[in-house]
């Protein structure tokens, strides 16, 4: 019944591409259901077929490559994840530019990578970490310019960028830490305006700021900051209860 396909290579290629798309979507579903091993196997096969049919410079191939990199990172196979993500990013930068959503997603995935090399305190480790921070900041700046400071994606990108920057730890100078704390305060104010003080992004930013205060030895400042934060959160909770009753949570 498939003789018409065998007689027409073009139709067979189209069918293969349709199967690949379905395979990638199924792999995503498996990934969301925490069946990472099956998802990885299916996505690996999809990438192999896309490389053969479309080549490594095609947008679909690069997207699949980046997705596979993220799956490898979730499995703590960081070296493999880095290889896939960096290769995908290089292709996306050439083909799509640095402001395309797929490119920015890959940038953020790279910024989120954690490896033993990054945790080292030698010059290579510092350089690698600062490169990842720079990527995260680029994504944040583009989103802020294009979607606005109060957009949820911008706020999430700010949290990722500032978290990775604070992760530099002792490599931060006093001036850099002071600038980051100013950025955190600004991001907190924007998150509070956009989503409220009880939202996970606002709470996450506040936790980062408190941690930074403690790192520089300002225990009293951190304690006062937390008291003020708790008052703001209690006020927002009471406001929600008045508006929606006690079942809004």
């Amino acid at each position: 019944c498939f003789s018409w396909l065998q007689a027409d290579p073009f139709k067979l290629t189209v069918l293969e591409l349709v199967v690949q798309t379905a395979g990638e979507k199924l792999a995503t579903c498996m990934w969301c259901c925490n069946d990472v091993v099956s998802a990885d196997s299916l996505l690996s096969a999809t990438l192999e077929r896309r490389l053969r049919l479309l080549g490594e410079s095609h947008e679909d191939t690069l997207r699949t490559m980046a997705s596979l990199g993220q799956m490898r990172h979730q499995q703590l196979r960081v070296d493999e994840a880095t290889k896939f993500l960096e290769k995908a990013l290089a292709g996306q930068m050439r083909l799509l530019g640095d402001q395309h959503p797929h490119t920015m997603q890959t940038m953020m995935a790279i910024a989120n990578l954690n490896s033993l090399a990054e945790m080292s305190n030698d010059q290579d480790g510092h350089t690698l970490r600062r490169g990842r921070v720079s990527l995260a900041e680029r994504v944040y700046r583009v989103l802020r310019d294009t979607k606005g400071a109060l957009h949820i994606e911008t706020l999430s990108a700010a949290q990722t960028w500032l978290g990775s920057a604070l992760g530099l730890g002792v490599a931060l100078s006093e001036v850099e830490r002071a600038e980051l704390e100013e950025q955190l305060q600004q991001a907190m104010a924007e998150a509070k305006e956009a989503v409220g003080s009880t939202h996970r992004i606002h709470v996450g930013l506040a936790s980062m700021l408190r941690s930074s205060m403690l790192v520089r030895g300002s225990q009293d400042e951190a304690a006062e900051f937390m008291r003020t934060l708790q008052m703001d959160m209690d006020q927002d909770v009471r406001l929600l209860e008045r508006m929606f009753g006690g079942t809004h949570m």
Side-chain angles (χ1 to χ4, degrees), residues 5-142:
L5 283 174
Q6 296 172 350
D8 191 335
F10 174 75
K11 291 179 180 178
L12 184 59
T13 300
V14 170
L15 181 60
E16 276 201 78
L17 292 172
V18 171
V19 170
Q20 288 172 29
T21 302
E24 185 170 20
K25 290 181 178 179
L26 179 57
T28 302
C29 291
M30 290 176 172
W31 189 7
C32 292
C33 293
N34 293 321
D35 188 358
V36 181
V37 175
S38 298
D40 185 287
S41 176
L42 185 56
L43 200 59
S44 296
T46 300
L47 178 59
E48 289 178 6
R49 286 192 290 268
R50 285 197 160 150
L51 284 167
R52 174 169 52 84
L53 293 172
L54 302 175
E56 67 176 24
S57 297
H58 192 279
E59 180 179 353
D60 291 346
T61 306
L62 296 169
R63 186 186 66 248
T64 303
M65 193 180 297
S67 296
L68 187 56
Q70 292 180 67
M71 283 190 187
R72 296 290 164 87
H73 183 210
Q74 188 172 342
Q75 298 172 81
L76 304 181
R77 297 158 68 178
V78 181
D79 290 340
E80 297 172 35
T82 302
K83 180 185 71 172
F84 282 121
L85 286 168
E86 289 184 346
K87 188 171 183 178
L89 179 61
Q92 288 169 334
M93 290 284 283
R94 287 193 304 269
L95 182 67
L96 306 172
D98 63 356
Q99 297 190 21
H100 191 279
H102 291 171
T103 308
M104 291 196 293
Q105 286 171 8
T106 306
M107 284 183 182
M108 195 62 76
I110 292 175
N112 283 326
L113 283 173
N114 260 328
S115 69
L116 292 176
E118 286 183 280
M119 298 302 292
S120 66
N121 289 319
D122 59 18
Q123 188 60 42
D124 288 342
H126 291 320
T127 300
L128 182 58
R129 282 180 288 183
R130 286 188 180 276
R132 300 274 164 82
V133 171
S134 178
L135 281 178
E137 183 178 4
R138 283 174 66 184
V139 174
Y140 164 71
R141 298 294 179 192
V142 170

